[in-house]
Amino acid sequence: MTKLSTTFATLAVLLPVVLGQAAEWGQCGGIGWSGATTCVSGTVCTVLNPYYSQCLPGSASSTPPTTTTGGSTPTSTAPASTATGLNKLAQAAGKKYFGSATDNPELTDTAYVAILSETSEFGQITPGNSMKWDATEPSRGTFTFTNGDVVASLAEGNGQLLRGHNCVWYNQLPSWVSGGTFTAADLTDVITTHCGTVVGHYKGHIYSWDVVNEPFNDDGTWRTDVFYNTLGTSYVQIALEAARAADPNAKLYINDYNIESTGAKSNAMLALAKSLLAAGAPLDGIGLQCHFIVGQVPTSLQTVMQQFTALGLEVAITELDIRMTLPATDALLAQQETDYENVVKACMNVEGCVGITVWDWTDKYSWVPGTFSGQGAACPWDENFNIKPAYNGIAAALA
Ligand code: G3I
């Protein structure tokens, strides 16, 4: 990965660094905060809640901003820990990280990058798109890592863990794969080459890989994509073995959604995990995506995580967001705070739940409105980078 340091050098100039003063959008106060308490010129340290003050653009006389509730009061109680920032709180609680997904187009937004780079908040990054098959091997045998390297360099420069996402998925496949006609031997070679090359490129730089993404339909049957149709269930082990050979130290995951409650789909994932482990396949973890709806967070999340950890696997919450029908109201945001708190508590209650990743931290760059018309406000920060009550729900659960 020779281009990584060069890429980081380029990115580094985007990040504001002023010794002794917090950068624009940076933290400048709050209970337990021991960093800078003054802000760079043109910004003012603004109390957002007792635990978090932020350098926001404006002068000292400017009115403190409110959250998207239009001024609703966070309801969380004081955390017992002295750590502040979600990643600091998570690590103080024994987790490996609290992290966020990101995507390359957002990295031109310097205010966004500055907050994403705050390791008190985020100790881990997942590239939302740039390590997927269509991005990395658009035609057979031709690999492009430019965008993935930018995200990897950002994480490495910040000292943040990196989750690789993903090797084998039915979606965002180039047409030479999705529409190809392969013998079993040929597709085995395609998968082995793809996973081996991509995982190998990032060898030593990745905490964990979503080697296989979303193998099941919601009723627990196998998704009938080119991989399953050609190789049956064996493609999963083929991909895992290629990944393990390419980077023996990366934790290898299968990642899916709607496996966060007990039922047909989580049972199917459990059965797959058991059969892979019995066959000696290199499987280390299960990713529970956790794309939820306000007021509808599954109550059996902790139980499901414990079912996987009972097999000796680790689990992670890999793509958390909790969407609502817009417009956001105080009541919806309060429910969202409770929902985020409950999700994070479930991870806290399971020792083998290693970390939590939000599928981007700000509503400005959430995937939700583009996919679910009329829905959004799914992230812990609003589109103006102000924290929402959801943030306090997460912090309360981690404390
Ligand atoms: O790259 C093209 C660009 O060339 C084109 O101009 C543009 C026009 O729409 O589209 C671009 O592709 C988009 C791609 O993101 C890259 O930005 C696709 O339209 C868009 O559908 C795609 O969405 C991604 C989605 O996965 C695809 O399924 C989201 O950004 C990404 O956040 C989302 O992430 C998934 C996880 O990988 C798996 N779990 C669910 C999660 C949310 O859907």
Side-chain angles (χ1 to χ4, degrees):
M1 196 169 45
T2 52
K3 288 183 183 165
L4 276 184
S5 41
T6 313
T7 318
F8 176 66
T10 310
L11 260 170
V13 300
L14 296 172
L15 308 178
V17 178
V18 179
L19 279 179
Q21 291 188 308
E24 186 177 14
W25 309 110
Q27 185 170 2
C28 54
I31 295 169
W33 174 247
S34 58
T37 52
T38 57
C39 295
V40 294
S41 173
T43 67
V44 60
C45 187
T46 306
V47 177
L48 298 182
N49 65 47
Y51 317 113
Y52 198 86
S53 301
Q54 191 176 27
C55 296
L56 298 175
S59 65
S61 60
S62 64
T63 308
T66 60
T67 65
T68 49
T69 60
S72 72
T73 307
T75 57
S76 304
T77 52
S81 167
T82 54
T84 56
L86 301 182
N87 182 51
K88 269 194 180 176
L89 286 167
Q91 291 184 334
K95 300 301 176 192
K96 288 193 192 307
Y97 59 82
F98 185 93
S100 176
T102 190
D103 204 2
N104 294 75
E106 304 155 27
L107 301 179
T108 57
D109 180 340
T110 52
Y112 169 87
V113 174
I115 295 178
L116 179 66
S117 301
E118 281 179 19
T119 52
S120 58
E121 298 291 0
F122 307 110
Q124 175 273 329
I125 291 180
T126 306
N129 284 301
S130 54
M131 291 185 190
K132 290 172 178 173
W133 202 314
D134 60 354
T136 53
E137 195 186 5
S139 58
R140 188 167 182 173
T142 302
F143 288 87
T144 56
F145 295 111
T146 313
N147 283 341
D149 285 359
V150 168
V151 176
S153 297
L154 177 64
E156 192 155 287
N158 291 336
Q160 294 161 316
L161 297 171
L162 189 62
R163 296 196 79 252
H165 178 81
N166 49 59
C167 289
V168 174
W169 187 28
Y170 77 93
N171 198 0
Q172 286 175 286
L173 275 178
S175 56
W176 72 268
V177 182
S178 57
T181 305
F182 303 98
T183 64
D186 199 19
L187 191 59
T188 299
D189 179 58
V190 166
I191 293 170
T192 303
T193 301
H194 180 76
C195 291
T197 305
V198 175
V199 174
H201 180 77
Y202 294 106
K203 181 183 178 184
H205 298 272
I206 293 269
Y207 170 67
S208 58
W209 263 105
D210 293 330
V211 177
V212 173
N213 198 38
E214 302 174 3
F216 294 115
N217 297 312
D218 279 348
D219 64 359
T221 57
W222 282 80
R223 205 183 276 282
T224 51
D225 54 19
V226 64
F227 307 112
Y228 180 79
N229 290 343
T230 310
L231 290 164
T233 62
S234 70
Y235 80 86
V236 177
Q237 187 161 350
I238 290 166
L240 288 166
E241 281 173 358
R244 175 57 41 94
D247 186 352
N249 294 320
K251 300 279 187 188
L252 305 184
Y253 275 61
I254 303 173
N255 187 49
D256 214 329
Y257 62 88
N258 289 352
I259 57 166
E260 300 90 353
S261 55
T262 50
K265 194 168 184 179
S266 63
N267 283 340
M269 186 64 87
L270 267 173
L272 173 60
K274 282 180 191 165
S275 73
L276 286 166
L277 293 173
L283 176 68
D284 302 308
I286 301 294
L288 298 98
Q289 294 187 7
C290 298
H291 293 293
F292 292 140
I293 298 170
V294 162
Q296 298 178 36
V297 168
T299 51
S300 49
L301 175 58
Q302 184 179 323
T303 301
V304 173
M305 290 198 278
Q306 284 165 333
Q307 287 174 330
F308 288 116
T309 58
L311 303 179
L313 297 168
E314 61 180 52
V315 293
I317 291 176
T318 52
E319 304 186 14
L320 175 61
D321 50 27
I322 309 181
R323 62 186 183 267
M324 62 181 72
T325 299
L326 299 172
T329 62
D330 283 0
L332 284 167
L333 290 164
Q335 180 63 49
Q336 187 185 48
E337 176 181 4
T338 301
D339 291 341
Y340 264 102
E341 183 170 352
N342 286 337
V343 173
V344 174
K345 267 186 190 161
C347 178
M348 291 289 284
N349 290 340
V350 178
E351 196 183 345
C353 180
V354 297
I356 297 155
T357 306
V358 285
W359 205 243
D360 230 317
W361 53 270
T362 163
D363 292 334
K364 184 173 183 181
Y365 296 119
S366 171
W367 69 290
V368 169
T371 301
F372 299 100
S373 180
Q375 297 184 50
C379 302
W381 278 257
D382 71 14
E383 63 276 7
N384 296 313
F385 303 159
N386 295 318
I387 62 168
K388 292 159 61 179
Y391 178 101
N392 298 315
I394 298 169
L398 292 173

